[in-house]
Amino acid sequence: MSTSKATDHLWMHFTRMGSYDNAPVPTIERGEGSYIFDTNGRKYLDALSGLFTVQVGHGREELAKAAYEQAKKLAFFPIWSYAHPTAIELADRLAALAPGDLNKVFFSSGGGESVETAWKVAKQYFKLIGKPAKHKVISRAIAYHGTTQGALSITGVPPFKEAFEPLVPGTVRVPNTNFYRAPEFVADDEKAFGLWAANRIEEAILAEGPSSVAAVFLEPVQNAGGCFPPPPGYFERVRQICDEHDVLLISDEVICAYGRLGTMFGCEKFGYQPDIITTAKGLTSGYSPLGCAIISDRIYEPFSKPGVTFAHGYTFGGHPVSCAVALANLDLFEREDLLGNVLRNENAFRTTLEKLYDLPIVGDVRGDGYFYGIELVKDFKTKETFNADESERVLRGYVSGALFENGLYCRADDRGDPVVQVAPPLIAGQDVFDEIEQKLRIVLTEAWNRI
């Protein structure tokens, strides 16, 4: 297949299409384990798991066979007032895996739809229990929650929103947990910073009026901005605040669920109990589209009353083939102990990436599990970041392309401060970590020379 045709009719997502007017489009045609191959046969380390998705690695025949066998039997049927066996079995399995009383599974096609579902559940829940004014959502600065109108409204990345405004009203932003950029008065005490950041959520609830706030949407480790883990005590305080003001705590785990942090769900890694978990990506390891919101018994209870309908759904939510793939994917997790592999190796991954601190361009290495961001700076001591022109010239103009040219597929991102993100498949070990570090070292060394 000619890559020159890629821009004739294909409109790629989040892409400056004009960039390919005089350049070929990178075209990936197959994958194997932790590696992908383009149409010219070149091999690249997939250090982003596709898009934080391919947990079990590429080319797993078990998942392809599960899809094939299910498609032969029942390729499609909706779960609108009907059920089918794979949706039933997968919902049972997820309810057993989810913490606490998270026992109701509402399937979607992907992450943004799961977030959209959770906000709708929260709004209708409060109407059903006699608190119809509670509809607003609080989320964090720079946080990404999806591109549908509701999920985009919750998203805290202004450049993503400007072209589509006005959006859904009723969303409020609070500070994120980027300790590297913490205010000076808490910059030396991570726990104090966490308490300060959590208390900004209560401050926002009180400013909006507790009678109007329905939910707080938080990722266990925030993706956009470069992998911000929660400080000690942060989620404990957030849970307390939500309980005090009758606000739902929604854990957006589209990235952090299904082993990315070494636990089945990210909230388990940090010891908090949400009211709803939103998921997608790693549920099928990307072998078929599927997402879900997992909802607590307490929140579901008023929906179970006679005559009540949750008027919401998706044609492909709970797709039979996708559910079959998800079940086979979870079987692989158990058979190969992928959660254990992450927990056994996460410190080695961090230590390997921290070798990059000897480069003057590397300001911070942060994250958890197999999910890390490396923040790039002009001055290590002062933490001075790039200006807009430098970010465009160095990050977009050089780093992003150079990483790929050196055989490393990952993400160079400037939604917040400039970062490079890496999130290898959960099957990865030290050989993969070393390759990531070595390729990053080559490119970042040259990037520093270009500043």
Side-chain angles (χ1 to χ4, degrees):
M1 179 182 293
S2 171
T3 60
S4 64
K5 293 183 177 181
T7 58
D8 289 350
H9 304 290
L10 177 63
W11 194 342
M12 291 174 286
H13 299 193
F14 283 98
T15 299
R16 296 180 178 183
M17 294 297 290
S19 300
Y20 296 111
D21 286 348
N22 299 300
V25 176
T27 304
I28 305 303
E29 68 174 357
R30 71 183 182 91
E32 181 181 329
S34 295
Y35 294 86
I36 51 176
F37 300 80
D38 68 15
T39 48
N40 297 314
R42 285 197 62 192
K43 179 181 179 180
Y44 307 84
L45 174 57
D46 182 0
L48 203 65
S49 301
L51 194 61
F52 314 105
T53 300
V54 188
Q55 316 293 62
V56 300
H58 297 276
R60 303 304 296 256
E61 290 189 8
E62 305 97 313
L63 303 192
K65 288 178 180 177
Y68 170 71
E69 293 298 332
Q70 179 58 45
K72 283 198 304 180
K73 186 183 299 183
L74 179 68
F76 173 75
F77 204 78
I79 52 174
W80 298 42
S81 301
Y82 295 84
H84 55 73
T86 54
I88 295 170
E89 184 179 352
L90 181 57
D92 285 349
R93 191 156 178 182
L94 290 172
L97 291 170
D101 70 338
L102 294 166
N103 290 315
K104 289 294 180 181
V105 179
F106 193 101
F107 286 115
S108 66
S109 308
E113 291 181 355
S114 297
V115 170
E116 201 82 15
T117 297
W119 193 6
K120 283 188 170 183
V121 167
K123 285 184 173 181
Q124 188 172 349
Y125 166 76
F126 282 114
K127 287 178 172 62
L128 290 172
I129 66 169
K131 297 182 178 182
K134 289 176 81 72
H135 68 283
K136 296 177 183 176
V137 163
I138 293 169
S139 59
R140 296 187 290 205
I142 316 177
Y144 175 83
H145 294 284
T147 55
T148 58
Q149 291 283 300
L152 184 58
S153 301
I154 298 170
T155 290
V157 186
F160 286 3
K161 303 160 75 120
E162 292 164 356
F164 310 109
E165 292 175 333
L167 295 169
V168 181
T171 65
V172 179
R173 236 62 58 210
V174 296
N176 57 49
T177 59
N178 182 1
F179 184 58
Y180 185 65
R181 300 289 179 183
E184 189 173 339
F185 61 90
V186 287
D188 296 325
D189 188 333
E190 195 171 6
K191 190 166 185 178
F193 168 65
L195 182 62
W196 173 84
N199 284 338
R200 302 290 70 75
I201 294 173
E202 182 170 46
E203 186 177 84
I205 292 171
L206 294 173
E208 294 299 315
S211 64
S212 72
V213 179
V216 175
F217 277 74
L218 304 173
E219 298 165 274
V221 175
Q222 182 175 316
N223 171 39
C227 303
F228 304 142
Y234 175 79
F235 274 111
E236 181 182 1
R237 176 62 183 138
V238 171
R239 180 72 266 181
Q240 184 183 56
I241 290 166
C242 289
D243 290 341
E244 287 175 359
H245 299 291
D246 196 16
V247 171
L248 305 189
L249 175 53
I250 299 175
S251 192
D252 184 355
E253 304 197 13
V254 172
I255 289 176
C256 291
Y258 310 118
R260 180 54 52 193
L261 307 182
T263 50
M264 189 57 71
F265 297 98
C267 58
E268 297 174 292
K269 189 71 176 283
F270 302 113
Y272 67 96
Q273 178 64 46
D275 299 296
I276 301 174
I277 298 177
T278 58
T279 79
K281 294 187 183 290
L283 176 55
T284 64
S285 284
Y287 281 66
S288 192
L290 188 65
C292 69
I294 311 175
I295 298 144
S296 76
D297 290 336
R298 177 177 72 90
I299 305 307
Y300 171 75
E301 193 274 335
F303 291 90
S304 69
K305 302 296 185 184
V308 177
T309 299
F310 181 43
H312 174 71
Y314 303 101
T315 298
F316 295 117
H319 191 282
V321 173
S322 294
C323 288
V325 171
L327 288 164
N329 184 53
L330 292 174
D331 286 343
L332 268 178
F333 269 68
E334 292 181 7
R335 190 160 63 246
E336 299 184 4
D337 188 25
L338 293 184
L339 301 183
N341 189 59
V342 174
L343 293 176
R344 286 188 295 271
N345 288 293
E346 61 179 345
N347 289 335
F349 187 36
R350 173 189 285 273
T351 300
T352 303
L353 294 176
E354 286 177 342
K355 291 180 182 178
L356 296 168
Y357 272 132
D358 67 355
L359 301 180
I361 197 172
V362 174
D364 193 29
V365 175
R366 56 179 178 255
D368 197 276
Y370 276 22
F371 184 36
Y372 273 84
I374 299 152
E375 183 168 336
L376 309 182
V377 294
K378 281 200 298 185
D379 190 309
F380 181 85
K381 291 182 179 179
T382 66
K383 303 182 183 180
E384 182 183 0
T385 191
F386 301 163
N387 61 36
D389 177 68
E390 290 165 336
S391 185
E392 181 72 22
R393 180 168 52 84
V394 176
L395 197 71
R396 292 180 179 273
Y398 173 70
V399 171
S400 186
L403 288 168
F404 195 67
E405 283 299 310
N406 279 273
L408 188 67
Y409 169 71
C410 58
R411 168 184 271 177
D413 190 11
D414 62 352
R415 285 176 288 183
D417 294 306
V419 296
V420 175
Q421 287 181 288
V422 288
L426 309 189
I427 59 173
Q430 189 61 51
D431 57 335
V432 168
F433 307 156
D434 288 338
E435 187 174 348
I436 291 172
E437 188 271 337
Q438 289 158 13
K439 292 180 184 298
L440 285 173
R441 177 174 295 277
I442 291 169
V443 172
L444 295 181
T445 298
E446 176 58 25
W448 178 253
N449 294 331
R450 292 171 177 246
I451 294 176

